[in-house]
Amino acid sequence: MTKLLFANTLAPNKLTTIAFCLALTLASVVSVRAESPVTPPAESGLTSIFNGKDLTGWSGDDRLWSVRDGVIHGETTPENKANGNTFLIWEDGNTKNFEVRLSFRCNATNNSGIQYRSKHITDKSARNEWVVRGYQHELRNEMNFPNIAGFIYDEGGRRGRICMVGEKAAWKDGKKQVLENFMDEAEFQKLFQLDGWNEVVIIGKGNHIQHFLNGKLILDFTDEQPELKLLDGKLALQLHAGKPMWAEFKDIRFKSLD
């Protein structure tokens, strides 16, 4: 009888403890998510850096880049191949502390990207005149993880896929540390417009970077690796070497946050 009374007395305490621990866990998750905005800030003070008519202010291989129907069109073919990854480089500014917004679409035979805080490579290691290395916002016309649009790729560097879609992460002490996973494949598939136009917002402040897609945060990254983090550099658009492909870009707007 005594044992039974003791068990009945203890059970509610155990339940209370479990409930308290669950509450703490949920509060922690809410707290982490609250640190990052779910949507980009209201658009303000951005300047168009593509005039919709020609490639004034941009530099690239004129065999591969053109303006069609008011959008930048990049295309490789069996006749006009890219000798290594090649880029259309914005000449009139840098991406130190910045916000850039644009819309893109591409086909699924290859991939493209938006370079920022990147270096224009002009030495003998460059396979063409328009090579850049640095952070890349990956662009793909695919729906299944991990080969989708939005992750950060270390173009020309040694870290590969630095931060994936759905991650809040930091690079520190020689490796990536994932602090939170906040988007899964199903959520991404609802967000992404396959074969259509998708709007990208990239914001970089110091060593903190955020990517937004179609109005929603998809990535939050802090680079705490002193010898590898990039704090300034070029903005560029990519055509990838290999299989023939095309990519298009429009409504390119930029704002310095300095």
Short mmCIF file of all heavy atoms in Angstrom, two decimals, residues 126-158:
data_model
loop_
_atom_site.label_atom_id
_atom_site.label_comp_id
_atom_site.label_asym_id
_atom_site.label_seq_id
_atom_site.Cartn_x
_atom_site.Cartn_y
_atom_site.Cartn_z
N ALA A 126 43.07 31.67 -64.65
CA ALA A 126 41.72 31.89 -65.19
C ALA A 126 41.61 31.27 -66.58
O ALA A 126 42.46 31.51 -67.45
CB ALA A 126 41.41 33.37 -65.25
N ARG A 127 40.56 30.50 -66.82
CA ARG A 127 40.37 29.83 -68.11
C ARG A 127 39.73 30.75 -69.14
O ARG A 127 39.70 30.44 -70.33
CB ARG A 127 39.53 28.57 -67.93
CG ARG A 127 40.21 27.51 -67.07
CD ARG A 127 39.37 26.25 -66.95
NE ARG A 127 39.17 25.61 -68.25
CZ ARG A 127 38.42 24.52 -68.44
NH1 ARG A 127 37.79 23.97 -67.40
NH2 ARG A 127 38.28 24.00 -69.64
N ASN A 128 39.19 31.88 -68.69
CA ASN A 128 38.66 32.89 -69.61
C ASN A 128 38.78 34.25 -68.93
O ASN A 128 39.27 34.34 -67.80
CB ASN A 128 37.23 32.56 -70.03
CG ASN A 128 36.26 32.48 -68.86
OD1 ASN A 128 35.91 33.50 -68.26
ND2 ASN A 128 35.83 31.26 -68.51
N GLU A 129 38.34 35.30 -69.62
CA GLU A 129 38.53 36.67 -69.11
C GLU A 129 37.55 37.04 -67.99
O GLU A 129 37.71 38.08 -67.36
CB GLU A 129 38.37 37.68 -70.25
CG GLU A 129 39.42 37.58 -71.33
CD GLU A 129 39.18 38.60 -72.44
OE1 GLU A 129 38.86 39.77 -72.10
OE2 GLU A 129 39.27 38.23 -73.61
N TRP A 130 36.56 36.20 -67.77
CA TRP A 130 35.48 36.58 -66.85
C TRP A 130 35.29 35.52 -65.77
O TRP A 130 34.19 34.98 -65.58
CB TRP A 130 34.19 36.80 -67.63
CG TRP A 130 34.37 37.83 -68.71
CD1 TRP A 130 34.32 39.19 -68.57
CD2 TRP A 130 34.66 37.58 -70.08
NE1 TRP A 130 34.55 39.80 -69.77
CE2 TRP A 130 34.77 38.83 -70.73
CE3 TRP A 130 34.84 36.41 -70.84
CZ2 TRP A 130 35.05 38.95 -72.08
CZ3 TRP A 130 35.12 36.53 -72.20
CH2 TRP A 130 35.22 37.78 -72.81
N VAL A 131 36.35 35.24 -65.04
CA VAL A 131 36.33 34.27 -63.95
C VAL A 131 36.29 35.03 -62.63
O VAL A 131 37.05 35.98 -62.42
CB VAL A 131 37.56 33.35 -63.99
CG1 VAL A 131 37.62 32.46 -62.75
CG2 VAL A 131 37.54 32.49 -65.26
N VAL A 132 35.40 34.61 -61.73
CA VAL A 132 35.38 35.18 -60.39
C VAL A 132 35.36 34.05 -59.38
O VAL A 132 34.94 32.93 -59.68
CB VAL A 132 34.17 36.12 -60.17
CG1 VAL A 132 34.18 37.29 -61.13
CG2 VAL A 132 32.86 35.36 -60.25
N ARG A 133 35.81 34.36 -58.18
CA ARG A 133 35.80 33.39 -57.08
C ARG A 133 35.24 34.06 -55.84
O ARG A 133 35.59 35.20 -55.52
CB ARG A 133 37.22 32.88 -56.81
CG ARG A 133 37.82 32.09 -57.96
CD ARG A 133 39.27 31.73 -57.71
NE ARG A 133 39.87 31.07 -58.87
CZ ARG A 133 41.17 30.98 -59.11
NH1 ARG A 133 42.03 31.50 -58.24
NH2 ARG A 133 41.61 30.39 -60.20
N GLY A 134 34.39 33.32 -55.13
CA GLY A 134 33.80 33.87 -53.91
C GLY A 134 32.47 33.21 -53.59
O GLY A 134 32.16 32.13 -54.07
N TYR A 135 31.67 33.90 -52.77
CA TYR A 135 30.36 33.39 -52.40
C TYR A 135 29.46 33.33 -53.63
O TYR A 135 29.39 34.28 -54.42
CB TYR A 135 29.69 34.28 -51.36
CG TYR A 135 30.35 34.38 -50.01
CD1 TYR A 135 30.45 35.61 -49.37
CD2 TYR A 135 30.85 33.25 -49.35
CE1 TYR A 135 31.02 35.72 -48.11
CE2 TYR A 135 31.42 33.36 -48.10
CZ TYR A 135 31.52 34.61 -47.48
OH TYR A 135 32.07 34.71 -46.24
N GLN A 136 28.71 32.24 -53.76
CA GLN A 136 27.73 32.11 -54.84
C GLN A 136 26.38 31.67 -54.28
O GLN A 136 26.30 30.70 -53.53
CB GLN A 136 28.19 31.09 -55.88
CG GLN A 136 27.20 30.93 -57.04
CD GLN A 136 27.60 29.81 -57.98
OE1 GLN A 136 26.88 28.83 -58.12
NE2 GLN A 136 28.76 29.92 -58.61
N HIS A 137 25.35 32.41 -54.66
CA HIS A 137 23.97 31.96 -54.45
C HIS A 137 23.64 31.02 -55.60
O HIS A 137 23.51 31.44 -56.75
CB HIS A 137 23.04 33.18 -54.44
CG HIS A 137 21.59 32.87 -54.26
ND1 HIS A 137 20.86 32.06 -55.13
CD2 HIS A 137 20.70 33.28 -53.32
CE1 HIS A 137 19.60 31.99 -54.73
NE2 HIS A 137 19.48 32.71 -53.63
N GLU A 138 23.55 29.73 -55.31
CA GLU A 138 23.30 28.73 -56.34
C GLU A 138 21.94 28.94 -57.00
O GLU A 138 20.95 29.28 -56.34
CB GLU A 138 23.34 27.33 -55.71
CG GLU A 138 23.10 26.20 -56.68
CD GLU A 138 24.33 25.79 -57.47
OE1 GLU A 138 25.42 26.38 -57.23
OE2 GLU A 138 24.21 24.87 -58.28
N LEU A 139 21.89 28.75 -58.34
CA LEU A 139 20.64 28.81 -59.09
C LEU A 139 20.45 27.52 -59.85
O LEU A 139 21.33 27.09 -60.61
CB LEU A 139 20.67 29.99 -60.08
CG LEU A 139 20.79 31.39 -59.48
CD1 LEU A 139 20.79 32.43 -60.59
CD2 LEU A 139 19.70 31.68 -58.47
N ARG A 140 19.31 26.88 -59.65
CA ARG A 140 18.95 25.64 -60.34
C ARG A 140 17.46 25.62 -60.61
O ARG A 140 16.69 26.28 -59.91
CB ARG A 140 19.32 24.42 -59.48
CG ARG A 140 20.82 24.17 -59.34
CD ARG A 140 21.09 23.03 -58.38
NE ARG A 140 22.52 22.76 -58.26
CZ ARG A 140 23.16 21.73 -58.79
NH1 ARG A 140 22.48 20.86 -59.53
NH2 ARG A 140 24.45 21.56 -58.62
N ASN A 141 17.08 24.85 -61.60
CA ASN A 141 15.66 24.63 -61.89
C ASN A 141 15.30 23.21 -61.47
O ASN A 141 14.89 22.38 -62.28
CB ASN A 141 15.38 24.85 -63.37
CG ASN A 141 13.89 24.92 -63.67
OD1 ASN A 141 13.13 25.54 -62.93
ND2 ASN A 141 13.46 24.29 -64.74
N GLU A 142 15.47 22.94 -60.19
CA GLU A 142 15.22 21.61 -59.63
C GLU A 142 14.48 21.74 -58.31
O GLU A 142 14.53 22.78 -57.66
CB GLU A 142 16.54 20.86 -59.43
CG GLU A 142 17.34 20.66 -60.71
CD GLU A 142 18.65 19.91 -60.48
OE1 GLU A 142 18.60 18.83 -59.87
OE2 GLU A 142 19.70 20.42 -60.90
N MET A 143 13.83 20.65 -57.90
CA MET A 143 12.95 20.70 -56.74
C MET A 143 13.37 19.81 -55.58
O MET A 143 12.81 19.92 -54.49
CB MET A 143 11.53 20.28 -57.17
CG MET A 143 10.89 21.19 -58.19
SD MET A 143 10.31 22.74 -57.47
CE MET A 143 8.70 22.24 -56.84
N ASN A 144 14.32 18.92 -55.79
CA ASN A 144 14.65 17.93 -54.77
C ASN A 144 15.98 18.25 -54.09
O ASN A 144 16.99 18.48 -54.77
CB ASN A 144 14.70 16.53 -55.39
CG ASN A 144 13.36 16.11 -55.97
OD1 ASN A 144 12.31 16.38 -55.39
ND2 ASN A 144 13.38 15.48 -57.12
N PHE A 145 15.98 18.24 -52.77
CA PHE A 145 17.20 18.47 -51.99
C PHE A 145 18.26 17.43 -52.37
O PHE A 145 17.92 16.28 -52.67
CB PHE A 145 16.89 18.33 -50.50
CG PHE A 145 16.29 19.56 -49.86
CD1 PHE A 145 15.65 20.53 -50.61
CD2 PHE A 145 16.35 19.73 -48.48
CE1 PHE A 145 15.09 21.64 -50.00
CE2 PHE A 145 15.79 20.84 -47.86
CZ PHE A 145 15.17 21.79 -48.63
N PRO A 146 19.54 17.76 -52.36
CA PRO A 146 20.09 19.07 -52.01
C PRO A 146 20.35 19.96 -53.22
O PRO A 146 20.79 21.10 -53.05
CB PRO A 146 21.43 18.68 -51.36
CG PRO A 146 21.88 17.50 -52.16
CD PRO A 146 20.62 16.73 -52.49
N ASN A 147 20.08 19.48 -54.45
CA ASN A 147 20.45 20.23 -55.66
C ASN A 147 19.37 21.21 -56.07
O ASN A 147 18.69 21.03 -57.08
CB ASN A 147 20.77 19.26 -56.80
CG ASN A 147 21.94 18.36 -56.47
OD1 ASN A 147 22.90 18.78 -55.84
ND2 ASN A 147 21.86 17.10 -56.88
N ILE A 148 19.24 22.26 -55.30
CA ILE A 148 18.19 23.26 -55.51
C ILE A 148 18.81 24.64 -55.51
O ILE A 148 19.98 24.83 -55.20
CB ILE A 148 17.12 23.15 -54.40
CG1 ILE A 148 17.77 23.30 -53.02
CG2 ILE A 148 16.36 21.84 -54.50
CD1 ILE A 148 16.79 23.43 -51.89
N ALA A 149 18.00 25.63 -55.85
CA ALA A 149 18.46 27.02 -55.82
C ALA A 149 18.53 27.51 -54.38
O ALA A 149 17.70 27.16 -53.55
CB ALA A 149 17.50 27.90 -56.63
N GLY A 150 19.53 28.33 -54.11
CA GLY A 150 19.54 29.07 -52.85
C GLY A 150 20.70 28.84 -51.92
O GLY A 150 20.99 29.68 -51.07
N PHE A 151 21.38 27.68 -52.01
CA PHE A 151 22.47 27.46 -51.06
C PHE A 151 23.70 28.29 -51.42
O PHE A 151 23.82 28.80 -52.54
CB PHE A 151 22.81 25.97 -50.94
CG PHE A 151 23.35 25.29 -52.16
CD1 PHE A 151 24.69 25.42 -52.52
CD2 PHE A 151 22.54 24.49 -52.96
CE1 PHE A 151 25.20 24.77 -53.63
CE2 PHE A 151 23.04 23.84 -54.07
CZ PHE A 151 24.38 23.98 -54.42
N ILE A 152 24.62 28.45 -50.47
CA ILE A 152 25.86 29.18 -50.71
C ILE A 152 26.93 28.19 -51.13
O ILE A 152 27.23 27.23 -50.42
CB ILE A 152 26.34 29.94 -49.45
CG1 ILE A 152 25.29 30.94 -48.97
CG2 ILE A 152 27.65 30.68 -49.76
CD1 ILE A 152 25.68 31.66 -47.70
N TYR A 153 27.52 28.46 -52.30
CA TYR A 153 28.61 27.65 -52.81
C TYR A 153 29.89 28.48 -52.82
O TYR A 153 29.86 29.66 -53.17
CB TYR A 153 28.29 27.14 -54.21
CG TYR A 153 29.37 26.25 -54.79
CD1 TYR A 153 29.57 24.97 -54.29
CD2 TYR A 153 30.20 26.70 -55.81
CE1 TYR A 153 30.57 24.15 -54.81
CE2 TYR A 153 31.19 25.89 -56.34
CZ TYR A 153 31.38 24.62 -55.83
OH TYR A 153 32.37 23.82 -56.33
N ASP A 154 31.00 27.86 -52.48
CA ASP A 154 32.30 28.54 -52.45
C ASP A 154 32.95 28.40 -53.84
O ASP A 154 33.79 27.55 -54.06
CB ASP A 154 33.18 27.91 -51.37
CG ASP A 154 34.46 28.68 -51.12
OD1 ASP A 154 34.62 29.78 -51.67
OD2 ASP A 154 35.31 28.16 -50.37
N GLU A 155 32.52 29.26 -54.78
CA GLU A 155 33.01 29.19 -56.15
C GLU A 155 34.52 29.46 -56.19
O GLU A 155 34.99 30.50 -55.76
CB GLU A 155 32.28 30.23 -57.02
CG GLU A 155 32.80 30.36 -58.44
CD GLU A 155 32.45 29.16 -59.31
OE1 GLU A 155 31.52 28.40 -58.96
OE2 GLU A 155 33.10 29.01 -60.36
N GLY A 156 35.26 28.48 -56.70
CA GLY A 156 36.71 28.62 -56.81
C GLY A 156 37.44 28.44 -55.50
O GLY A 156 38.67 28.56 -55.45
N GLY A 157 36.72 28.15 -54.43
CA GLY A 157 37.33 28.00 -53.11
C GLY A 157 37.39 26.54 -52.70
O GLY A 157 37.19 25.63 -53.51
N ARG A 158 37.62 26.31 -51.42
CA ARG A 158 37.84 24.94 -50.94
C ARG A 158 36.75 24.44 -50.00
O ARG A 158 36.83 23.31 -49.51
CB ARG A 158 39.20 24.87 -50.22
CG ARG A 158 39.32 25.72 -48.98
CD ARG A 158 40.76 25.80 -48.52
NE ARG A 158 40.88 26.26 -47.14
CZ ARG A 158 41.90 26.98 -46.70
NH1 ARG A 158 42.88 27.31 -47.52
NH2 ARG A 158 41.96 27.35 -45.44
#
